[in-house]
Protein backbone atom coordinates (compact mmCIF):
# COMPACT_ATOMS: atom_id res chain seq x y z
CA UNK A 1 0.00 0.00 0.00
CA UNK A 2 1.43 3.38 -1.02
CA UNK A 3 0.09 5.46 1.85
CA UNK A 4 1.34 4.76 5.37
CA UNK A 5 -1.82 6.26 6.83
CA UNK A 6 -4.07 4.03 4.73
CA UNK A 7 -1.97 0.95 5.58
CA UNK A 8 -2.31 1.81 9.25
CA UNK A 9 -6.09 2.23 9.00
CA UNK A 10 -6.55 -1.02 7.08
CA UNK A 11 -4.20 -2.75 9.49
CA UNK A 12 -6.40 -1.72 12.42
CA UNK A 13 -9.52 -2.96 10.64
CA UNK A 14 -7.87 -6.29 9.90
CA UNK A 15 -6.79 -6.70 13.52
CA UNK A 16 -10.34 -6.01 14.66
CA UNK A 17 -11.69 -8.65 12.27
CA UNK A 18 -9.05 -11.17 13.36
CA UNK A 19 -9.96 -10.58 17.02
CA UNK A 20 -13.69 -10.96 16.37
CA UNK A 21 -12.95 -14.14 14.46
CA UNK A 22 -11.71 -15.81 17.63
CA UNK A 23 -14.12 -14.20 20.09
CA UNK A 24 -17.62 -14.67 21.40
CA UNK A 25 -19.49 -11.42 20.58
CA UNK A 26 -22.20 -11.20 23.24
CA UNK A 27 -23.06 -7.48 23.52
CA UNK A 28 -26.88 -7.45 23.57
CA UNK A 29 -27.20 -4.47 21.20
CA UNK A 30 -25.12 -5.81 18.32
CA UNK A 31 -25.35 -8.32 15.51
CA UNK A 32 -23.61 -9.23 12.29
CA UNK A 33 -24.91 -8.63 8.76
CA UNK A 34 -24.96 -11.14 5.92
CA UNK A 35 -22.72 -10.87 2.86
CA UNK A 36 -25.81 -9.76 0.91
CA UNK A 37 -26.34 -6.80 3.22
CA UNK A 38 -22.64 -5.94 2.99
CA UNK A 39 -22.88 -5.96 -0.78
CA UNK A 40 -25.64 -3.36 -0.52
CA UNK A 41 -23.51 -1.29 1.86
CA UNK A 42 -20.69 -0.90 -0.67
CA UNK A 43 -23.06 -0.07 -3.53
CA UNK A 44 -23.26 3.40 -5.12
CA UNK A 45 -26.41 4.13 -3.10
CA UNK A 46 -24.05 5.28 -0.33
CA UNK A 47 -22.92 8.24 -2.44
CA UNK A 48 -26.37 9.66 -3.31
CA UNK A 49 -28.95 12.08 -2.04
CA UNK A 50 -32.68 11.41 -1.91
CA UNK A 51 -34.33 13.94 0.40
CA UNK A 52 -38.06 13.42 0.75
CA UNK A 53 -40.24 10.44 -0.10
CA UNK A 54 -40.06 7.95 -3.00
CA UNK A 55 -41.19 9.57 -6.28
CA UNK A 56 -41.40 12.99 -4.55
CA UNK A 57 -37.72 13.88 -4.23
CA UNK A 58 -35.87 17.15 -4.22
CA UNK A 59 -33.07 15.63 -6.36
CA UNK A 60 -32.87 14.08 -9.79
CA UNK A 61 -31.20 10.70 -10.23
CA UNK A 62 -33.40 8.84 -7.74
CA UNK A 63 -35.21 6.49 -10.13
CA UNK A 64 -33.76 3.28 -8.67
CA UNK A 65 -33.58 4.61 -5.13
CA UNK A 66 -37.33 5.32 -5.34
CA UNK A 67 -37.98 1.83 -6.62
CA UNK A 68 -35.92 0.24 -3.86
CA UNK A 69 -37.27 2.40 -1.03
CA UNK A 70 -40.90 1.79 -1.96
CA UNK A 71 -40.19 -1.95 -2.23
CA UNK A 72 -38.49 -1.91 1.21
CA UNK A 73 -41.52 -0.12 2.68
CA UNK A 74 -43.82 -2.82 1.27
CA UNK A 75 -41.63 -5.57 2.77
CA UNK A 76 -41.60 -3.82 6.16
CA UNK A 77 -45.38 -3.29 6.15
CA UNK A 78 -45.83 -6.99 5.44
CA UNK A 79 -43.31 -8.15 8.05
CA UNK A 80 -44.70 -5.95 10.82
CA UNK A 81 -48.32 -6.14 9.66
CA UNK A 82 -48.55 -2.36 9.79
CA UNK A 83 -50.24 0.30 7.64
CA UNK A 84 -47.29 2.71 7.75
CA UNK A 85 -43.50 2.51 8.19
CA UNK A 86 -40.81 5.12 7.82
CA UNK A 87 -37.36 3.66 7.14
CA UNK A 88 -35.47 6.96 7.05
CA UNK A 89 -34.38 7.65 10.66
CA UNK A 90 -30.62 7.11 10.67
CA UNK A 91 -30.54 5.58 14.18
CA UNK A 92 -32.76 4.45 17.02
CA UNK A 93 -32.19 7.72 18.85
CA UNK A 94 -33.19 9.72 15.77
CA UNK A 95 -36.31 7.53 15.51
CA UNK A 96 -37.15 8.43 19.12
CA UNK A 97 -36.45 12.11 18.50
CA UNK A 98 -38.80 12.02 15.50
CA UNK A 99 -41.56 10.32 17.51
CA UNK A 100 -41.21 12.89 20.31
CA UNK A 101 -41.22 15.73 17.80
CA UNK A 102 -44.26 14.38 15.94
CA UNK A 103 -46.41 13.63 18.97
CA UNK A 104 -45.48 16.12 21.69
CA UNK A 105 -44.30 19.68 22.18
CA UNK A 106 -41.72 21.42 24.31
CA UNK A 107 -42.68 21.23 28.00
CA UNK A 108 -44.92 18.15 27.65
CA UNK A 109 -44.48 15.26 30.06
CA UNK A 110 -43.33 11.75 29.30
CA UNK A 111 -43.30 8.64 31.48
CA UNK A 112 -40.52 6.14 30.69
CA UNK A 113 -38.15 3.81 32.47
CA UNK A 114 -35.16 5.37 34.20
CA UNK A 115 -31.73 4.38 32.89
CA UNK A 116 -30.98 2.37 36.05
CA UNK A 117 -34.18 0.38 35.44
CA UNK A 118 -33.16 -0.35 31.87
CA UNK A 119 -34.37 2.75 30.01
CA UNK A 120 -32.29 3.87 27.03
CA UNK A 121 -30.37 7.09 27.36
CA UNK A 122 -32.56 8.69 24.65
CA UNK A 123 -35.55 8.24 26.99
CA UNK A 124 -33.91 10.56 29.51
CA UNK A 125 -33.81 14.33 29.96
CA UNK A 126 -30.02 14.32 29.72
CA UNK A 127 -30.39 13.04 26.14
CA UNK A 128 -32.96 13.09 23.32
CA UNK A 129 -36.02 13.57 25.56
CA UNK A 130 -34.39 16.66 27.08
CA UNK A 131 -33.31 17.93 23.66
CA UNK A 132 -37.00 17.93 22.70
CA UNK A 133 -37.84 19.78 25.94
CA UNK A 134 -39.80 16.87 27.45
CA UNK A 135 -40.12 16.61 31.21
CA UNK A 136 -39.57 12.97 32.06
CA UNK A 137 -41.01 10.92 34.92
CA UNK A 138 -39.84 7.40 35.78
CA UNK A 139 -42.17 4.44 35.76
CA UNK A 140 -42.32 2.81 39.21
CA UNK A 141 -40.35 -0.42 38.87
CA UNK A 142 -40.71 -3.90 40.34
CA UNK A 143 -37.12 -5.11 40.88
CA UNK A 144 -38.16 -8.70 41.53
CA UNK A 145 -40.06 -8.93 38.24
CA UNK A 146 -37.62 -6.65 36.39
CA UNK A 147 -40.65 -4.89 34.98
CA UNK A 148 -42.89 -1.85 35.29
CA UNK A 149 -45.17 -1.80 38.35
CA UNK A 150 -48.55 -1.56 36.62
CA UNK A 151 -50.74 -0.30 39.48
CA UNK A 152 -48.26 2.35 40.61
CA UNK A 153 -47.56 3.28 36.99
CA UNK A 154 -51.25 3.83 36.20
CA UNK A 155 -51.54 5.96 39.34
CA UNK A 156 -48.58 8.08 38.17
CA UNK A 157 -50.07 8.52 34.68
CA UNK A 158 -53.41 9.67 36.16
CA UNK A 159 -51.61 12.13 38.38
CA UNK A 160 -49.18 13.75 35.96
CA UNK A 161 -51.18 13.34 32.72
CA UNK A 162 -48.25 12.86 30.33
CA UNK A 163 -48.46 13.41 26.58
CA UNK A 164 -46.23 10.38 25.98
CA UNK A 165 -46.00 6.98 27.62
CA UNK A 166 -42.85 5.22 26.48
CA UNK A 167 -42.21 1.49 26.75
CA UNK A 168 -39.08 -0.42 25.77
CA UNK A 169 -35.62 -0.62 27.29
CA UNK A 170 -31.96 -1.45 26.86
CA UNK A 171 -32.10 -3.98 29.65
CA UNK A 172 -35.24 -5.76 28.47
CA UNK A 173 -35.88 -9.23 29.88
CA UNK A 174 -39.68 -9.44 29.77
CA UNK A 175 -42.50 -7.96 27.66
CA UNK A 176 -43.76 -4.60 28.91
CA UNK A 177 -47.38 -4.06 30.05
CA UNK A 178 -48.56 -2.12 26.98
CA UNK A 179 -52.16 -3.31 26.95
CA UNK A 180 -52.52 -2.59 30.65
CA UNK A 181 -51.82 1.12 29.96
CA UNK A 182 -53.99 1.64 26.86
CA UNK A 183 -57.08 2.63 28.78
CA UNK A 184 -55.34 5.16 30.99
CA UNK A 185 -53.48 6.54 27.95
CA UNK A 186 -56.87 7.24 26.33
CA UNK A 187 -58.18 8.72 29.56
CA UNK A 188 -55.36 11.31 29.77
CA UNK A 189 -55.04 11.70 25.99
CA UNK A 190 -51.50 10.31 25.79
CA UNK A 191 -49.73 8.56 22.95
CA UNK A 192 -47.99 5.25 23.57
CA UNK A 193 -44.55 4.89 22.00
CA UNK A 194 -42.84 1.50 22.15
CA UNK A 195 -39.07 1.54 21.65
CA UNK A 196 -38.39 -1.89 20.14
CA UNK A 197 -34.70 -1.35 19.40
CA UNK A 198 -33.58 -4.42 21.32
CA UNK A 199 -36.43 -6.75 20.51
CA UNK A 200 -37.36 -5.81 16.92
CA UNK A 201 -36.09 -9.14 15.56
CA UNK A 202 -38.01 -11.07 18.20
CA UNK A 203 -41.18 -9.13 17.36
CA UNK A 204 -40.62 -9.70 13.62
CA UNK A 205 -40.11 -13.42 14.38
CA UNK A 206 -43.30 -13.47 16.52
CA UNK A 207 -41.50 -14.56 19.70
CA UNK A 208 -42.10 -11.48 21.87
CA UNK A 209 -45.07 -9.20 22.47
CA UNK A 210 -46.83 -7.54 19.53
CA UNK A 211 -46.83 -3.87 20.62
CA UNK A 212 -49.07 -2.51 17.82
CA UNK A 213 -51.81 -5.04 18.56
CA UNK A 214 -51.42 -4.44 22.30
CA UNK A 215 -52.06 -0.72 22.02
CA UNK A 216 -48.89 1.14 20.99
CA UNK A 217 -49.45 4.09 18.64
CA UNK A 218 -45.97 4.03 17.20
CA UNK A 219 -43.04 1.65 17.44
CA UNK A 220 -39.55 3.10 17.14
CA UNK A 221 -36.41 1.01 16.74
CA UNK A 222 -32.89 0.64 15.56
CA UNK A 223 -32.53 -2.36 13.26
CA UNK A 224 -29.19 -3.89 14.13
CA UNK A 225 -29.71 -5.79 17.40
CA UNK A 226 -32.01 -8.84 17.35
CA UNK A 227 -32.96 -7.52 13.91
CA UNK A 228 -29.71 -8.17 12.07
CA UNK A 229 -29.72 -5.24 9.64
CA UNK A 230 -27.12 -2.56 9.00
CA UNK A 231 -27.05 0.22 11.61
CA UNK A 232 -30.06 2.54 11.32
CA UNK A 233 -33.55 3.27 12.61
CA UNK A 234 -37.21 2.98 11.66
CA UNK A 235 -40.68 3.95 12.88
CA UNK A 236 -43.83 1.87 12.52
CA UNK A 237 -47.22 3.59 12.98
CA UNK A 238 -50.59 2.05 13.72
CA UNK A 239 -52.37 4.32 11.20
CA UNK A 240 -51.73 6.33 8.05
CA UNK A 241 -52.73 9.45 9.93
CA UNK A 242 -50.05 9.00 12.59
CA UNK A 243 -47.61 7.94 9.87
CA UNK A 244 -48.09 11.32 8.15
CA UNK A 245 -47.11 13.14 11.37
CA UNK A 246 -44.05 10.91 11.70
CA UNK A 247 -43.05 11.52 8.07
CA UNK A 248 -42.98 15.29 8.61
CA UNK A 249 -40.97 14.93 11.79
CA UNK A 250 -38.39 12.76 9.98
CA UNK A 251 -38.14 14.99 6.90
CA UNK A 252 -37.79 17.94 6.91
CA UNK A 253 -37.64 17.68 10.71
CA UNK A 254 -34.65 15.61 11.70
CA UNK A 255 -33.12 13.89 8.69
CA UNK A 256 -31.99 15.58 5.52
CA UNK A 257 -30.67 12.68 3.49
CA UNK A 258 -31.22 9.19 4.87
CA UNK A 259 -28.39 6.71 4.39
CA UNK A 260 -29.37 5.02 1.16
CA UNK A 261 -26.85 2.18 1.25
CA UNK A 262 -28.16 1.27 4.70
CA UNK A 263 -31.69 1.45 3.31
CA UNK A 264 -30.68 -1.07 0.63
CA UNK A 265 -29.10 -3.31 3.29
CA UNK A 266 -32.22 -3.00 5.41
CA UNK A 267 -34.36 -4.11 2.45
CA UNK A 268 -32.29 -7.28 2.21
CA UNK A 269 -32.61 -7.86 5.96
CA UNK A 270 -36.38 -7.50 5.68
CA UNK A 271 -36.36 -10.24 3.03
CA UNK A 272 -34.15 -12.39 5.28
CA UNK A 273 -36.55 -11.93 8.17
CA UNK A 274 -39.61 -12.79 6.09
CA UNK A 275 -37.90 -16.09 5.27
CA UNK A 276 -35.87 -16.97 8.37
CA UNK A 277 -37.08 -14.60 11.11
CA UNK A 278 -39.31 -16.94 13.03
CA UNK A 279 -36.77 -19.73 13.21
CA UNK A 280 -34.00 -17.30 14.23
CA UNK A 281 -36.06 -15.55 16.91
CA UNK A 282 -37.18 -18.89 18.40
CA UNK A 283 -33.59 -20.13 18.66
CA UNK A 284 -32.44 -16.81 20.11
CA UNK A 285 -34.93 -16.91 22.98
CA UNK A 286 -34.25 -20.64 23.57
CA UNK A 287 -30.51 -19.91 23.72
CA UNK A 288 -30.97 -17.03 26.18
CA UNK A 289 -33.02 -19.26 28.48
CA UNK A 290 -30.52 -22.11 28.18
CA UNK A 291 -27.51 -19.90 28.92
CA UNK A 292 -29.27 -18.27 31.88
CA UNK A 293 -30.11 -21.67 33.38
CA UNK A 294 -26.59 -23.01 32.77
CA UNK A 295 -25.01 -19.95 34.45
CA UNK A 296 -27.44 -20.22 37.35
CA UNK A 297 -26.63 -23.92 37.77
CA UNK A 298 -22.95 -22.95 38.05
CA UNK A 299 -23.64 -20.53 40.88
CA UNK A 300 -24.04 -17.23 39.03
CA UNK A 301 -26.62 -14.84 40.46
CA UNK A 302 -28.77 -14.62 37.31
CA UNK A 303 -31.74 -12.30 37.81
CA UNK A 304 -35.34 -13.57 37.90
CA UNK A 305 -34.89 -17.33 38.37
CA UNK A 306 -38.56 -17.64 39.41
CA UNK A 307 -39.69 -16.12 36.11
CA UNK A 308 -37.51 -18.31 33.91
CA UNK A 309 -34.73 -15.63 33.80
CA UNK A 310 -35.72 -14.07 30.47
CA UNK A 311 -38.18 -14.00 27.58
CA UNK A 312 -35.81 -12.08 25.29
CA UNK A 313 -32.26 -12.37 23.95
CA UNK A 314 -30.81 -10.90 27.15
CA UNK A 315 -29.65 -12.16 30.52
CA UNK A 316 -28.80 -9.97 33.51
CA UNK A 317 -26.42 -11.19 36.20
CA UNK A 318 -25.66 -9.58 39.56
CA UNK A 319 -21.88 -9.94 39.91
CA UNK A 320 -21.24 -7.85 43.02
CA UNK A 321 -19.79 -10.92 44.78
CA UNK A 322 -17.37 -11.41 41.86
CA UNK A 323 -15.89 -7.90 41.96
CA UNK A 324 -18.65 -5.96 40.17
CA UNK A 325 -19.68 -5.41 36.57
CA UNK A 326 -16.53 -3.62 35.41
CA UNK A 327 -14.12 -6.24 36.72
CA UNK A 328 -16.13 -9.18 35.37
CA UNK A 329 -16.59 -7.56 31.93
CA UNK A 330 -12.85 -6.86 31.70
CA UNK A 331 -11.91 -10.39 32.79
CA UNK A 332 -14.20 -11.82 30.14
CA UNK A 333 -12.80 -9.48 27.50
CA UNK A 334 -9.27 -10.67 28.28
CA UNK A 335 -10.64 -14.14 27.46
CA UNK A 336 -12.21 -12.96 24.19
CA UNK A 337 -15.76 -13.09 25.55
CA UNK A 338 -17.26 -9.68 24.83
CA UNK A 339 -20.15 -8.51 27.03
CA UNK A 340 -20.90 -5.24 28.86
CA UNK A 341 -21.15 -4.09 32.45
CA UNK A 342 -24.66 -2.89 33.27
CA UNK A 343 -26.53 -0.91 35.89
CA UNK A 344 -29.01 -3.00 37.85
CA UNK A 345 -32.14 -1.47 39.40
CA UNK A 346 -30.61 -0.71 42.79
CA UNK A 347 -27.54 1.02 41.31
CA UNK A 348 -27.07 4.76 41.41
CA UNK A 349 -26.45 6.10 37.91
CA UNK A 350 -23.34 7.76 39.37
CA UNK A 351 -21.89 4.24 39.67
CA UNK A 352 -22.22 3.59 35.95
CA UNK A 353 -18.47 2.97 35.73
CA UNK A 354 -18.66 0.02 38.12
CA UNK A 355 -22.25 -1.15 38.37
CA UNK A 356 -23.53 -4.32 40.03
CA UNK A 357 -24.26 -6.24 36.90
CA UNK A 358 -23.41 -7.57 33.51
CA UNK A 359 -25.76 -7.86 30.52
CA UNK A 360 -25.34 -10.76 28.12
CA UNK A 361 -26.94 -11.09 24.67
CA UNK A 362 -27.09 -14.30 22.63
CA UNK A 363 -28.51 -12.89 19.37
CA UNK A 364 -25.17 -12.70 17.53
CA UNK A 365 -23.86 -16.13 18.53
CA UNK A 366 -27.27 -17.49 17.56
CA UNK A 367 -26.75 -15.95 14.12
CA UNK A 368 -23.53 -17.97 13.95
CA UNK A 369 -25.58 -21.13 14.35
CA UNK A 370 -25.08 -21.87 18.05
CA UNK A 371 -27.76 -23.78 19.95
CA UNK A 372 -28.54 -24.90 23.52
CA UNK A 373 -25.56 -27.29 23.89
CA UNK A 374 -23.12 -24.47 23.06
CA UNK A 375 -24.85 -22.33 25.69
CA UNK A 376 -24.03 -24.90 28.33
CA UNK A 377 -20.38 -24.95 27.26
CA UNK A 378 -20.22 -21.13 27.20
CA UNK A 379 -21.56 -21.02 30.78
CA UNK A 380 -18.71 -23.35 31.74
CA UNK A 381 -16.23 -20.98 30.07
CA UNK A 382 -17.74 -18.04 32.01
CA UNK A 383 -17.23 -19.95 35.26
CA UNK A 384 -13.67 -20.97 34.43
CA UNK A 385 -12.73 -17.40 33.48
CA UNK A 386 -14.57 -15.42 36.15
CA UNK A 387 -14.76 -17.75 39.15
CA UNK A 388 -11.75 -20.08 38.70
CA UNK A 389 -9.64 -17.28 37.14
CA UNK A 390 -8.41 -19.55 34.34
CA UNK A 391 -7.47 -18.48 30.83
CA UNK A 392 -10.08 -19.81 28.38
CA UNK A 393 -8.98 -18.01 25.23
CA UNK A 394 -7.92 -21.26 23.54
CA UNK A 395 -11.27 -22.89 24.29
CA UNK A 396 -13.11 -19.85 22.91
CA UNK A 397 -10.99 -19.95 19.76
CA UNK A 398 -11.66 -23.69 19.30
CA UNK A 399 -15.40 -23.25 19.80
CA UNK A 400 -15.55 -20.44 17.27
CA UNK A 401 -13.78 -22.56 14.64
CA UNK A 402 -16.95 -24.64 14.37
CA UNK A 403 -19.16 -21.54 14.00
CA UNK A 404 -17.63 -19.35 11.36
CA UNK A 405 -20.59 -18.77 9.05
CA UNK A 406 -23.55 -16.42 9.18
CA UNK A 407 -26.81 -18.39 9.21
CA UNK A 408 -30.44 -17.41 8.66
CA UNK A 409 -29.72 -15.90 5.26
CA UNK A 410 -29.84 -16.88 1.58
CA UNK A 411 -26.04 -16.99 1.09
CA UNK A 412 -23.95 -18.18 4.03
CA UNK A 413 -20.51 -16.60 4.34
CA UNK A 414 -17.69 -16.13 6.84
CA UNK A 415 -18.85 -13.86 9.64
CA UNK A 416 -15.78 -11.78 10.39
CA UNK A 417 -13.35 -12.44 7.56
CA UNK A 418 -11.84 -9.18 6.33
CA UNK A 419 -12.78 -8.70 2.68
CA UNK A 420 -10.23 -6.44 0.99
CA UNK A 421 -11.63 -4.95 -2.21
CA UNK A 422 -8.37 -3.08 -2.88
CA UNK A 423 -6.38 -6.32 -2.73
CA UNK A 424 -8.90 -8.37 -4.72
CA UNK A 425 -9.21 -5.74 -7.44
CA UNK A 426 -5.56 -4.64 -7.56
N1 LIG B 1 -26.95 1.71 24.36
C1 LIG B 1 -27.22 0.61 23.47
C2 LIG B 1 -27.32 -0.68 24.20
O1 LIG B 1 -26.30 -1.30 24.35
O2 LIG B 1 -28.39 -1.09 24.62
C3 LIG B 1 -28.37 0.84 22.59
O3 LIG B 1 -28.26 2.04 21.88
Amino acid sequence: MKSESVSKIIGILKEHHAWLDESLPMIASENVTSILVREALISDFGHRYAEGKPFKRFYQGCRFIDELESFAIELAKKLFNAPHVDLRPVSGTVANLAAYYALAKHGDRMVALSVAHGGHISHAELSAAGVMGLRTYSFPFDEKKMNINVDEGIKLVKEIKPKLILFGASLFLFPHPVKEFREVADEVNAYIIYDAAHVLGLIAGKQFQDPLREGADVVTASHHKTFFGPQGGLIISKSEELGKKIEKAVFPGLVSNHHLHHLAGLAITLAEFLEFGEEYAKQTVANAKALAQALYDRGFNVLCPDLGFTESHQIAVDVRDLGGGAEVAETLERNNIIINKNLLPWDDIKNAKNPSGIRIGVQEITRLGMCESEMDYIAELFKKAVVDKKDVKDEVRELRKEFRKIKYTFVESDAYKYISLSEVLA
Side-chain angles (χ1 to χ4, degrees):
M1 187 73 65
K2 288 206 178 92
S3 156
E4 261 179 46
S5 300
V6 172
S7 295
K8 182 180 163 118
I9 295 161
I10 291 183
I12 294 169
L13 289 171
K14 283 184 173 171
E15 278 187 293
H16 174 83
H17 277 250
W19 186 29
L20 257 282
D21 213 15
E22 47 189 42
S23 300
L24 286 170
M26 301 180 77
I27 301 273
S29 50
E30 299 176 349
N31 215 319
V32 63
T33 51
S34 69
I35 197 83
L36 299 166
V37 171
R38 292 182 207 186
E39 189 170 323
L41 292 178
I42 58 166
S43 72
D44 183 68
F45 269 35
H47 307 129
R48 302 301 150 204
Y49 259 78
E51 281 179 353
K53 290 180 11 175
F55 308 107
K56 291 181 187 159
R57 305 291 191 187
F58 292 87
Y59 291 83
Q60 299 313 122
C62 294
R63 184 183 303 169
F64 297 107
I65 295 166
D66 289 345
E67 191 178 334
L68 196 144
E69 184 164 344
S70 48
F71 184 54
I73 289 170
E74 286 316 308
L75 291 177
K77 281 160 83 170
K78 183 171 171 200
L79 182 64
F80 296 109
N81 184 18
H84 190 279
V85 294
D86 195 315
L87 305 178
R88 297 172 299 171
V90 293
S91 74
T93 293
V94 170
N96 279 340
L97 278 167
Y100 302 157
Y101 186 42
L103 306 177
K105 58 182 191 324
H106 197 96
D108 279 344
R109 296 169 180 185
M110 175 168 84
V111 179
L113 278 175
S114 74
V115 172
H117 292 158
H120 185 246
I121 192 158
S122 64
H123 306 169
E125 268 183 45
L126 63 100
S127 175
V131 168
M132 281 297 157
L134 297 175
R135 289 154 61 201
T136 60
Y137 294 77
S138 299
F139 270 124
F141 195 70
D142 184 332
E143 292 181 10
K144 281 215 173 72
K145 294 187 176 157
M146 284 300 283
N147 214 328
I148 292 157
N149 181 321
V150 174
D151 293 342
E152 296 294 315
I154 288 176
K155 233 190 262 170
L156 177 71
V157 168
K158 285 188 176 172
E159 192 187 311
I160 66 155
K161 299 187 175 34
K163 191 74 211 161
L164 304 176
I165 301 174
L166 176 68
F167 294 100
S170 289
L171 182 58
F172 203 172
L173 301 176
F174 301 104
H176 279 170
V178 179
K179 58 177 177 304
E180 288 81 347
F181 280 78
R182 187 64 256 178
E183 197 180 316
V184 72
D186 289 336
E187 198 180 310
V188 302
N189 204 20
Y191 288 109
I192 293 184
I193 303 175
Y194 183 102
D195 181 340
H198 267 275
V199 292
L200 190 71
L202 306 182
I203 291 170
K206 302 186 177 60
Q207 305 303 311
F208 206 66
Q209 66 191 138
D210 183 350
L212 275 192
R213 257 53 61 187
E214 291 175 26
D217 295 296
V218 300
V219 174
T220 61
S222 54
H223 43 74
H224 48 263
K225 298 176 170 50
T226 51
F227 200 83
F228 38 62
Q231 293 189 338
L234 56 77
I235 305 175
I236 307 166
S237 300
K238 78 166 182 197
S239 67
E240 283 285 348
E241 192 194 342
L242 273 176
K244 292 268 174 283
K245 285 181 194 257
I246 294 288
E247 276 177 13
K248 270 200 206 146
V250 174
F251 178 85
L254 288 148
V255 177
S256 152
N257 190 40
H258 45 307
H259 297 168
L260 304 167
H261 51 328
H262 284 234
L263 173 76
L266 173 59
I268 288 176
T269 317
L270 289 163
E272 290 174 329
F273 258 87
L274 282 162
E275 184 75 20
F276 307 103
E278 207 163 319
E279 194 193 341
Y280 168 71
K282 244 186 220 158
Q283 191 60 55
T284 300
V285 176
N287 282 352
K289 285 176 180 290
L291 180 58
Q293 183 68 55
L295 287 168
Y296 186 75
D297 292 345
R298 286 167 176 82
F300 282 92
N301 192 358
V302 185
L303 266 49
C304 302
D306 301 338
L307 298 171
F309 306 107
T310 182
E311 292 295 329
S312 75
H313 60 302
Q314 297 187 1
I315 300 159
V317 189
D318 179 354
V319 290
R320 280 176 291 184
D321 57 344
L322 294 165
E327 189 178 320
V328 170
E330 283 163 22
T331 302
L332 288 167
E333 188 189 35
R334 281 196 297 279
N335 284 282
N336 287 0
I337 300 173
I338 318 292
I339 56 108
N340 65 277
K341 58 179 182 263
N342 218 88
L343 290 167
L344 293 182
W346 48 85
D347 283 326
D348 189 323
I349 193 162
K350 290 190 197 106
N351 288 344
K353 287 201 172 133
N354 190 19
S356 303
I358 56 170
R359 182 187 68 169
I360 306 169
V362 299
Q363 71 295 333
E364 189 166 344
I365 56 174
T366 304
R367 188 127 209 244
L368 301 178
M370 294 192 191
C371 294
E372 286 88 333
S373 54
E374 284 76 43
M375 298 305 119
D376 195 61
Y377 182 57
I378 290 170
E380 187 59 26
L381 297 181
F382 268 67
K383 177 178 168 291
K384 273 193 183 171
V386 175
V387 181
D388 308 336
K389 307 279 179 215
K390 295 210 172 106
D391 189 308
V392 297
K393 252 200 222 156
D394 286 343
E395 282 113 306
V396 169
R397 191 177 294 121
E398 281 309 306
L399 172 64
R400 276 299 321 286
K401 275 187 189 158
E402 292 169 47
F403 297 94
R404 311 194 65 78
K405 302 268 186 211
I406 300 172
K407 309 283 182 184
Y408 306 100
T409 180
F410 301 98
V411 180
E412 291 184 7
S413 64
D414 277 343
Y416 309 108
K417 185 178 173 187
Y418 188 78
I419 301 166
S420 170
L421 293 183
S422 57
E423 282 165 22
V424 170
L425 301 177

